[in-house]
Amino acid sequence: METLQEINWQLIAPLFVIQAILLLVAIIDWAKTDEFRGPKWMWFFIIVFGTVIGPIIYFIFGRGQR
């Protein structure tokens, strides 16, 4: 428990917020989009289990042409 008290949460908290926003926006976009590069279910798992990099990979490579 001492290590949790030693963490500087003022530096870590914005990373959690950015991750949550990326995840939320990617999931909403995934749900609304019909065209993907690959199976739709695969991109769901990449977004959810890819932590911060998963949503970024989805936005770069996963979405189809609009």
Side-chain angles (χ1 to χ4, degrees):
M1 290 305 277
E2 293 177 19
T3 56
L4 288 177
Q5 294 173 350
E6 295 174 7
I7 294 175
N8 189 352
W9 290 105
Q10 293 173 341
L11 295 175
I12 303 293
L15 295 175
F16 287 127
V17 171
I18 290 170
Q19 179 182 359
I21 291 170
L22 271 173
L23 180 66
L24 184 64
V25 170
I27 291 292
I28 290 170
D29 186 76
W30 173 86
K32 291 182 178 182
T33 303
D34 292 330
E35 280 188 40
F36 295 93
R37 294 184 184 133
K40 187 173 183 174
W41 61 267
M42 176 187 73
W43 287 109
F44 176 78
F45 287 111
I46 290 172
I47 292 168
V48 172
F49 295 116
T51 60
V52 175
I53 198 74
I56 294 171
I57 290 172
Y58 166 73
F59 284 120
I60 294 173
F61 299 111
R63 293 177 13 169
Q65 297 291 330
R66 288 191 180 184

